[in-house]
Amino acid sequence: MDKLRMTSQDLPKSNVEKLIEIFPNVVTETQDAMGNPKKAIDFDLLRQELSDHIVEGPQERYRLDWPGKRASSFVANAPIAKTLRPIRDESVDFDNTKNLFIEGDNLDALKLLQESYLGKVKMIYIDPPYNTGNDFVYSDDFSETVDEYLVRSLQVDSDGTRLVTNLESNGRFHSDWLSMMYPRLKLARNLLTEDGAIFISIDDSEMSNLQRLASEIFGENNFVGTMVWAAGRKNDSKYISSSHEYILCFARDLSTLRENGVTWKVRKKGLSKIYKVAEHLVRMNHGDFDAASKGLKDWFGALPDSDEAKGNKHYSKIDENGVYFPDNISWPGGWGPRYQVLHPISGKPVKVPSGGWRFQEAAMKEQIKAGRVDFGRTDDSVPTYKRYLHETEFEVPYSVFYQDGRSASKRLKALMGGPVFDFPKDETVIQTLVEMVTTGEDIVLDFFAGSGTTAHAVMAQNAKDGGQRRFVLIQIAEQTNSKSYAHANGFSSISAISRERIRRSAEVVKNKAGLIAESLDTGFRFLTVDTTNLVDVYLTPDNTDQLQLSNLERSIKADRTGEDLLLQVLLDWGLELTISIATETFDGSLFYVIDDGALIASFEPIVSLELVREIASRKPLRVVFCDSSFASDDVRINAEQVLREISPFTDVKVI
């Protein structure tokens, strides 16, 4: 029986044959013999991608560089001996949910997810810690002191003597921030589907660096655009009131989106309110559509600019078919057909648009018959085309939008009973992104989960359109301030706040969902990043005495459960971590049946041949045992023979 690897994927070995497609960051620019720029392969970076140690040898080229970049690239590729452990008590609907909440350093978590979720995530949204000049919770193995940074960046020598005229005041923090982000974005890219996309919130401090960093990782040709979120005026600035932040967007493969004709659209805001007002005005004016139209125009005019319905103010007329916008009826670009169109009341020809009619004469008659042409009161005016709001409810999102930044804080405070989290992201904004990019059972990942906004947004969008989207959230167990409201109310970590926010927002979403509430998945499996389930063995045979041998018989740590081992098996075999898990017993022995029998696992201290026969009779695709469960080599060989005879196509592994 072959043994499972039980470590995260070794990226350098698996990436050898996928140069530019897998490693867009190895594409750089150089100069030809005539001094003209051209694309080239950065062989130093390529060597780094395929190496298990830090590679030296920088060359002069166009690229984003900083002290610590090579080390952070190494960190991204280095395998780890860690696993994910399930915590049922902190989960919600563990056996049925398809959602995940992972507590732990997101670098470790992303490495552990590489095989199970490779190419399966449709959308990633992250709100990483902004660079405020402070140290990061995500320090990784390459964090350093100011003195270490100054020496390595050649600003001072090893004795502290200054080597440059001016020391950087905050360069260390730029380098730290980039080193923190680089390996995480590299690993995240692997998880995206070919038509997937990543959205990253950021402010002015690292916007330029982030775009260059993301261009290197995702490829400059996959840059989709930057959304500017105007969140309201701030009065604490001496020079410019920074009332905005950015959401940077990159596609996994923009050419795939183009080839498949994919467009991103969202439903216009405030439509329900507009329809309700229009219906009321028609009723109030006893079917007088002219009076109702005047009332609708006045209502739009009275709305504040911040009202979400205001953006549709041009849909200001009403007829028996609904609310519409009197659109241009002339030929785009001019030179359209010119013919007589008679006014329905006067019977006289109306004015022909300067660019000619939008439709040929026969088609124009059909449009008039269908009531799509809006004639003026007299034949002196040019008719317009009725563009109904209910036919144009979806639009390509604007790159600049307004959303009051204070409203999200107020809603979260009301939901949680107090100010448990500073500056949460707005779930309605994230829901718009989810609506833009995802449908059906798409997976949405957020590896800087914070207060759990992304999970809230995914559940809300599922309730809105009946989707079955799934979320995967990752949040480090960052401790709350001991003097904070959150800490005083029992929330010891940001992760705990996030999980409770998901529970409470799930109830809110279900209460508003109506009949669809029963079909909504508002649960999550709670997993934690932990050390491997295997015992660390540092002793060589020469250094192991007879008394120690009994302690080495079982390679599994004493505090690990069968479900702990099962999760590590799922990771090793690249199976999704929300796959169905059932337990059964045979002759007093417990075993796990995964995905209706596709995988069967037994981690009992002793595995009998009768149990092996029972498992083999079900003809699973895969079977896993503990190596130490077989009393001898003879028993192991007999077990293999039983499986080979009864279920010859079963793949058998041991841990």
Side-chain angles (χ1 to χ4, degrees), residues 137 153 237 250 267 352:
V137 175
S153 59
S237 176
F250 278 80
R267 192 168 186 263
V352 178

Side-chain angles (χ1 to χ4, degrees), residues 156-458:
V156 298
D157 62 19
S158 58
D159 296 324
T161 303
R162 184 181 299 184
L163 301 177
V164 294
T165 305
N166 295 310
L167 295 176
E168 295 177 323
S169 60
N170 66 342
R172 176 176 75 99
F173 301 116
H174 284 297
S175 296
D176 279 356
W177 192 87
L178 289 167
S179 291
M180 183 270 293
M181 291 295 296
Y182 187 62
R184 290 166 172 82
L185 290 179
K186 283 189 66 178
L187 293 167
R189 179 181 178 272
N190 298 336
L191 304 181
L192 283 173
T193 60
E194 287 298 309
D195 59 348
I198 183 171
F199 296 85
I200 311 171
S201 284
I202 197 65
D203 65 356
D204 283 314
S205 63
E206 293 292 352
M207 171 58 184
S208 58
N209 281 337
L210 176 62
Q211 183 162 353
R212 293 181 66 190
L213 181 67
S215 292
E216 179 175 309
I217 293 171
F218 293 93
E220 192 171 12
N221 57 318
N222 291 317
F223 175 58
V224 177
T226 303
M227 304 176 78
V228 180
W229 176 354
R233 183 176 178 82
K234 297 179 181 179
N235 296 317
D236 56 353
S237 176
K238 295 180 180 179
Y239 310 108
I240 296 176
S241 176
S242 295
S243 59
H244 69 279
E245 60 181 72
Y246 307 98
I247 301 177
L248 200 65
C249 177
F250 278 80
R252 173 63 174 82
D253 186 353
L254 195 54
S255 64
T256 296
L257 299 181
R258 290 171 178 154
E259 290 168 5
N260 294 332
V262 174
T263 58
W264 292 345
K265 291 191 176 183
V266 295
R267 192 168 186 263
K268 295 173 181 176
K269 304 292 186 182
L271 297 187
S272 298
K273 184 190 296 187
I274 296 170
Y275 293 144
K276 187 175 181 179
V277 169
E279 184 181 348
H280 170 73
L281 288 170
V282 171
R283 200 167 50 243
M284 186 178 69
N285 288 282
H286 307 290
D288 185 339
F289 293 115
D290 287 338
S293 296
K294 182 180 182 305
L296 183 61
K297 186 174 182 179
D298 292 341
W299 177 76
F300 274 125
L303 290 177
D305 290 341
S306 59
D307 193 291
E308 59 185 10
K310 188 84 168 185
N312 298 297
K313 64 181 180 180
H314 49 297
Y315 287 89
S316 58
K317 300 194 75 173
I318 308 173
D319 69 4
E320 62 276 7
N321 294 318
V323 179
Y324 68 91
F325 160 53
D327 201 357
N328 192 348
I329 202 168
S330 66
W331 192 277
W335 305 102
R338 308 182 73 86
Y339 48 82
Q340 280 191 355
V341 173
L342 302 181
H343 193 278
I345 297 176
S346 70
K348 295 180 180 180
V350 298
K351 286 187 176 180
V352 178
S354 59
W357 296 111
R358 177 187 291 268
F359 307 101
Q360 297 294 341
E361 189 169 4
M364 185 66 165
K365 289 178 180 179
E366 291 296 321
Q367 296 295 330
I368 294 172
K369 184 178 179 180
R372 298 302 298 256
V373 178
D374 188 9
F375 289 93
R377 291 182 177 275
T378 68
D379 46 48
D380 291 334
S381 58
V382 176
T384 56
Y385 182 73
K386 294 181 181 181
R387 186 82 59 188
Y388 288 100
L389 184 56
H390 67 263
E391 296 176 339
T392 57
E393 289 190 343
F394 290 86
E395 63 184 357
V396 175
Y398 292 105
S399 63
V400 179
F401 64 94
Y402 175 83
Q403 180 74 15
D404 189 342
R406 298 165 296 182
S407 58
S409 295
K410 292 178 181 178
R411 289 196 300 273
L412 183 60
K413 182 178 179 181
L415 179 68
M416 303 296 288
V420 297
F421 194 88
D422 295 330
F423 312 116
K425 279 294 176 284
D426 193 310
E427 73 276 7
T428 64
V429 172
I430 310 308
Q431 184 181 343
T432 298
L433 302 180
V434 171
E435 181 185 12
M436 279 169 50
V437 178
T438 67
T439 58
E441 298 182 0
D442 287 340
I443 298 174
V444 179
L445 167 66
D446 183 348
F447 54 90
F448 288 100
S451 66
T453 302
T454 298
H456 190 166
V458 169

Side-chain angles (χ1 to χ4, degrees), residues 443-593:
I443 298 174
V444 179
L445 167 66
D446 183 348
F447 54 90
F448 288 100
S451 66
T453 302
T454 298
H456 190 166
V458 169
M459 292 186 294
Q461 186 57 34
N462 283 340
K464 179 180 177 181
D465 64 11
Q468 296 293 320
R469 299 170 185 83
R470 299 172 282 167
F471 63 78
V472 177
L473 264 59
I474 305 171
Q475 175 58 42
I476 197 169
E478 179 182 353
Q479 300 302 297
T480 53
N481 189 309
S482 59
K483 298 179 180 179
S484 67
Y485 175 91
H487 193 85
N489 284 270
F491 296 109
S492 60
S493 68
I494 301 299
S495 173
I497 294 173
S498 187
R499 297 195 304 277
E500 183 60 22
R501 192 263 180 88
I502 297 173
R503 296 186 188 99
R504 296 191 187 190
S505 61
E507 291 304 312
V508 173
V509 168
K510 286 192 291 186
N511 289 338
K512 293 180 179 180
L515 296 177
I516 201 175
E518 290 299 318
S519 64
L520 291 177
D521 182 359
T522 56
F524 59 86
R525 283 187 180 178
F526 178 46
L527 313 176
T528 61
V529 177
D530 207 333
T531 57
T532 178
N533 293 311
L534 301 182
V535 174
D536 295 324
V537 179
Y538 297 106
L539 300 177
T540 63
D542 291 341
N543 294 325
T544 307
D545 58 35
Q546 189 66 34
L547 293 176
Q548 291 171 317
L549 287 176
S550 60
N551 295 327
L552 301 178
E553 288 178 357
R554 186 166 171 82
S555 60
I556 310 300
K557 292 178 179 176
D559 65 337
R560 302 305 164 95
T561 67
E563 278 196 343
D564 290 334
L565 300 178
L566 181 59
L567 258 291
Q568 192 156 1
V569 168
L570 297 182
L571 288 169
D572 250 43
W573 251 322
L575 300 175
E576 288 192 15
L577 305 181
T578 55
I579 200 168
S580 64
I581 300 172
T583 57
E584 295 186 28
T585 57
F586 175 80
D587 196 22
S589 296
L590 175 74
F591 60 95
Y592 296 91
V593 180

